[in-house]
């Protein structure tokens, strides 16, 4: 379609501010952005819609328009809702770069323009796109009964013979038509997508899993109701969905690529709706968090929990126990602007707390996550013993549905109860590491279960302490649980590096040097001896040695270090040195 046709469509409410001699340009797609530099997402031929949130001064217009013109954008439509009238500096910049400029009346939603363009631009597939739009409009007016993203994916399968799935950033299936992805394929595809996004490559990204080729399309919130667009891809990379299509899109014609881009925009609207539905739960979590942090009376916190419980555990007749999970995403500054990590950590923690084997988003409806600064805090309900006659299994299924993600039957005070830190990250560690690349870290801490409002403040502090223990460990994705706060592992990460190096060098360097010269395996012998609690027989059996050979090695260790392995103090020093090395 041509720009002139958009101007002549009264329902779109467009007003031409400049570029009347360029109205015969052909529109191939549409993109909504408030990025100051959206070039990585532009392929040419787009009508760009913007709310002007990127403009902070008159000097911002010229570089923004220059970037659009260089990328081959055919027109710019600016909304009047943010600033009222379109600023003159933007008009002048568009005239200089011969970029047609339209004003969008504040009463017209960007989604209306997007739907109209998507419906029209695809030529022979216009009928298919119209069906997608019509079905999606029915979905949005009728609620969940409309079918969700499956409606769009069904159409791709029936009309275009394309199998497709909507995946979360951890590779969990949100929606899909027909057969599920092969086991583990979702996590691999999500990791490929995250890695490609971090390198700045434009989608679709191509990936091959077990001989099958997939094309990965990012699904970003593009509606006017969305939060302001980020300045840095790292702010959203760990929260965006993706569309995985079983096909190689590298040789697709422009019309089919436009069609799939339109589909991702429609699915983004559904993502928008689901995020809006989380607002109540997030607000409840924020209110409880503020009460706990400000030291509110337990009775006030308990009253707020009574309000939260029916929302998070509908139909549950008994009051739940609670656990607190704290997560933080940290990015290296590298001399640039600081990255806003709180909202991303909030979205990511909501995803982590869902069983990766659980499709859809229903279990996420039982998770309340707040964020403060760079930190996300989850209030996770764990149902108490079920109603009379209910089995323990029944009580577990009434909970947050974490299953393999680490949720057991809660009995406060027992080590095996509730969420387990390592289990939460086990299924997503490799995938998220791809998105964190070499400049990001995710750390997570989990509290013990508590059964009253009085325990929440302690649980929050416990989860924060556990997260700091995780942060002191090496690795991109780390977690720690409450049980580690009563162990020596709490102390080891906080030993200063210079002290750590000096301590381990004095005890272990003589043994390492001797091993290098004589291949004597003294370090391995020391580790086994301590692990066997100093038992000569058990240690010799483990190492497949004669006891006399073991005694010779231990004697050599004592001779080289001046220590006595029959003394508890020296055993402890060796143990700590090995742990810190």
């Amino acid at each position: 379609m041509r720009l002139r046709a958009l101007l002549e469509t009264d329902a779109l409410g467009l007003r031409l501010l400049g570029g009347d001699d360029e109205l015969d340009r052909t529109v191939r797609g549409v993109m909504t952005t408030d990025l100051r530099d959206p070039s990585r997402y532009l392929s040419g031929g787009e009508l760009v819609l913007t709310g002007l949130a990127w403009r902070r001064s008159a000097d911002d217009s010229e570089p923004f328009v220059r970037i659009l013109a260089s990328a081959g954008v055919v027109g710019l439509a600016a909304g009047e809702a943010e600033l009222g009238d379109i600023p003159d500096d933007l008009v002048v910049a568009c005239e200089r770069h011969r970029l047609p400029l339209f004003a969008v009346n504040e009463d017209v939603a960007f989604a209306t323009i997007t739907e109209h363009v998507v419906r029209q631009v695809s030529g022979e597939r216009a009928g298919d796109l119209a069906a997608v739009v019509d079905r999606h409009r029915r979905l949005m007016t009728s609620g969940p009964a409309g079918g969700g993203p499956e409606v769009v994916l069904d159409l791709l399968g029936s009309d275009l013979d394309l199998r497709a799935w909507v995946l979360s950033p951890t590779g969990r299936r949100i929606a899909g038509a027909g057969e599920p992805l092969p086991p583990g394929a979702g996590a691999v595809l999500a990791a490929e997508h995250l890695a490609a996004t971090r390198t700045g490559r434009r989608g679709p990204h191509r990936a091959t899993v077990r001989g099958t080729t997939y094309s990965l399309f990012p699904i970003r919130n593009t509606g006017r109701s969305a939060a302001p667009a980020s300045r840095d891809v790292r702010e959203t990379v760990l929260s965006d969905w993706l569309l995985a299509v079983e096909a190689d899109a590298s040789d697709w014609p422009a019309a089919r690529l436009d069609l799939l881009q339109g589909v991702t925009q429609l699915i983004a609207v559904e993502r928008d709706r689901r995020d809006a539905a989380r607002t109540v739960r997030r607000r409840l979590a924020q209110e409880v968090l503020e009460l706990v942090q400000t030291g509110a009376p337990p009775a006030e916190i308990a009253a707020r929990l009574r309000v939260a419980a029916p929302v998070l555990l509908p139909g549950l007749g008994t009051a739940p126990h609670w656990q607190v999970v704290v997560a933080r995403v940290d990015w290296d500054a590298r001399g640039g602007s600081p990255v806003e990590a709180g909202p991303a950590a909030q979205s990511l923690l909501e995803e982590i707390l869902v069983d990766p084997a659980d499709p859809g988003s229903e279990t996420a409806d039982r998770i309340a996550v707040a964020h403060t600064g760079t930190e996300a805090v989850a209030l996770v309900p764990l149902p108490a013993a079920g109603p009379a006659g209910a089995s323990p299994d029944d009580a577990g299924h009434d909970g947050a549905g974490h299953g393999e993600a680490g949720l057991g039957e809660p009995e406060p005070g027992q080590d095996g109860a509730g969420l387990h830190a390592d289990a939460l990250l086990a299924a997503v560690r490799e995938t998220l590491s791809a998105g964190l690349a070499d400049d990001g870290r995710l750390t997570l801490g989990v509290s013990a279960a508590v059964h009253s409002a009085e325990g929440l403040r302690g649980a929050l502090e416990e989860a924060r302490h556990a997260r700091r223990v995780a942060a002191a460990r090496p690795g991109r994705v780390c977690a720690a649980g409450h049980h580690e706060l009563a162990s020596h592992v709490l102390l080891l990460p906080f030993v200063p590096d210079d002290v750590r190096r000096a301590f381990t060098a004095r005890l272990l360097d003589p043994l390492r040097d001797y091993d290098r010269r004589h291949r004597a395996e003294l370090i391995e012998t020391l580790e086994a001896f301590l692990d066997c609690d100093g038992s000569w027989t058990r240690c010799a059996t483990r190492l497949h040695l004669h006891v006399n050979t073991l005694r010779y090695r231990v004697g050599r260790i004592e001779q080289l270090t001046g220590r006595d392995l029959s003394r508890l103090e020296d055993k402890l020093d060796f143990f700590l040195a090995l742990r810190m090395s």
Side-chain angles (χ1 to χ4, degrees):
M1 67 177 303
R2 301 185 185 279
L3 285 175
R4 189 181 307 279
L6 290 174
L7 189 62
E8 294 170 351
T9 304
D10 294 336
L12 300 183
L14 296 177
R15 191 171 76 259
L16 184 65
L17 300 181
D20 53 342
D21 55 343
E22 303 287 344
L23 292 181
D24 287 328
R25 293 184 177 186
T26 300
V27 180
R28 293 184 53 248
V30 61
M31 175 189 178
T32 302
T33 186
D34 277 314
L35 287 169
R36 303 186 78 176
D37 180 5
S39 58
R40 67 166 71 96
Y41 305 120
L42 296 170
S43 56
E46 296 94 349
L47 170 69
V48 170
L49 310 177
T50 181
L52 299 177
W54 50 266
R55 184 185 179 276
R56 295 168 188 165
S57 70
D59 294 334
D60 293 334
S61 293
E62 168 62 23
F64 179 77
V65 174
R66 183 173 64 250
I67 288 170
L68 298 188
S70 299
V73 168
V74 298
L76 175 64
E80 296 179 323
E82 181 77 15
L83 302 178
D85 294 333
I86 306 302
D88 291 338
D89 48 271
L90 181 59
V91 176
V92 170
C94 287
E95 289 178 348
R96 182 179 299 117
H97 292 278
R98 300 179 64 81
L99 184 67
L101 175 64
F102 303 89
V104 183
N105 189 287
E106 62 180 349
D107 295 326
V108 178
F110 282 2
T112 300
I113 301 173
T114 298
E115 288 187 2
H116 181 82
V117 173
V118 170
R119 186 198 296 261
Q120 299 296 325
V121 297
S122 188
E124 72 275 8
R125 288 300 177 188
D128 294 337
L129 287 176
V132 173
V133 173
D134 289 342
R135 292 192 193 187
H136 198 73
R137 183 177 291 111
R138 289 199 298 274
L139 162 67
M140 297 190 66
T141 56
S142 61
E150 283 84 359
V151 169
V152 182
L153 302 184
D154 280 337
L155 185 65
L156 288 178
S158 62
D159 290 9
L160 301 182
D161 196 26
L162 291 175
R163 299 176 66 207
W165 302 265
V166 178
L167 304 178
S168 77
T170 65
R172 187 175 62 88
R173 191 183 102 169
I174 302 295
E179 293 295 319
L181 281 165
V188 175
L189 292 175
E192 293 276 355
H193 172 72
L194 290 172
T197 302
R198 286 303 315 277
T199 62
R201 286 159 43 199
R202 295 178 182 172
H205 308 126
R206 186 175 178 272
T208 301
V209 180
R210 300 174 193 171
T212 301
T213 300
Y214 300 86
S215 295
L216 310 176
F217 294 80
I219 298 174
R220 299 186 178 93
N221 187 348
T222 58
R224 178 172 283 183
S225 62
S230 66
R231 294 165 295 175
D232 192 312
V233 68
R234 294 177 295 179
E235 292 183 8
T236 58
V237 66
L238 297 177
S239 57
D240 285 339
W241 287 357
L242 67 139
L243 177 67
V245 181
E246 190 181 298
D248 186 352
S250 59
D251 57 354
W252 280 6
R256 178 159 288 205
L257 285 172
D258 287 344
L259 170 60
L260 266 294
Q261 295 292 354
V263 168
T264 63
Q265 291 171 351
L266 295 176
I267 295 175
V269 176
E270 170 65 9
R271 168 71 186 270
D272 222 7
R273 187 187 68 78
R274 295 190 183 190
D275 282 348
R278 292 183 175 182
T279 302
V280 173
R281 296 186 298 280
R282 287 174 170 176
R283 186 178 298 123
L284 284 171
Q286 198 73 41
E287 291 174 355
V288 173
L289 177 61
E290 290 173 0
L291 290 174
V292 171
Q293 291 188 136
T294 56
E300 186 177 354
I301 299 174
R304 182 57 56 189
L305 289 177
R306 283 194 294 273
V307 173
V311 176
L312 300 177
L313 291 173
L316 187 67
T318 55
H321 302 307
W322 303 89
Q323 268 183 290
V324 176
V325 182
V326 173
R328 176 167 169 157
V329 176
D330 292 289
W331 300 100
D332 294 342
R334 294 189 172 180
S337 302
V339 179
E340 186 179 6
Q346 179 184 44
S347 178
L348 187 58
L349 185 53
E350 287 171 338
E351 173 64 25
I352 289 172
L353 289 171
V354 178
D355 184 350
D358 186 6
S361 62
E362 289 71 19
T363 52
D365 294 342
R366 297 178 178 179
I367 298 167
V369 181
H371 80 83
T372 169
T374 59
E375 180 185 73
V377 180
L379 189 67
V380 182
L382 307 176
S391 69
D393 287 342
D394 292 334
H397 285 295
D398 282 339
H402 299 285
E404 295 176 3
L407 177 61
E409 185 187 354
E411 288 295 336
Q414 294 184 2
D415 289 341
L419 297 168
H420 299 275
D422 287 336
L424 282 174
L425 295 182
V428 300
R429 181 175 277 106
E430 185 173 348
T431 302
L432 295 181
S433 295
L436 293 163
D438 60 352
D439 60 345
R441 291 199 74 206
L442 168 66
T443 51
L444 183 143
V446 181
S447 78
V450 296
H451 64 278
S452 66
E454 289 88 344
L456 274 181
R457 186 165 189 176
L460 176 60
E461 289 304 313
E462 192 172 59
R464 284 175 169 162
H465 281 309
R467 192 208 64 79
R468 285 192 284 270
V469 170
R473 295 172 173 166
R476 290 290 162 196
V477 180
C478 298
H482 60 91
H483 59 282
E484 298 182 61
L485 301 183
S487 168
H488 66 276
V489 297
L490 173 63
L491 304 177
L492 295 185
F494 300 101
V495 177
D497 287 342
D498 55 343
V499 176
R500 181 192 304 263
R501 287 191 295 268
F503 182 74
T504 58
R506 178 169 297 184
L507 281 174
L508 301 183
D509 279 2
L511 306 182
R512 293 184 178 125
D513 291 341
Y514 191 87
D515 281 346
R516 277 195 295 270
R517 293 195 307 269
H518 302 284
R519 299 180 181 178
E521 300 180 348
L522 295 185
I523 291 289
E524 180 184 354
T525 302
L526 176 62
E527 290 175 334
F529 187 73
L530 295 175
D531 195 42
C532 292
D533 298 323
S535 169
W536 297 98
T537 303
R538 283 165 45 206
C539 184
T541 301
R542 174 181 293 191
L543 295 175
H544 306 290
L545 298 174
H546 192 279
V547 172
N548 289 341
T549 304
L550 176 62
R551 289 185 185 276
Y552 172 80
R553 287 189 183 181
V554 170
R556 178 64 67 184
I557 291 171
E558 293 174 335
Q559 180 186 17
L560 291 170
T561 60
R563 299 299 184 104
D564 183 354
L565 276 169
S566 66
R567 298 179 66 246
L568 175 62
E569 293 88 347
D570 288 342
K571 286 180 182 177
L572 180 59
D573 284 348
F574 277 122
F575 174 80
L576 293 174
L578 289 168
R579 283 298 183 95
M580 288 191 292
S581 64

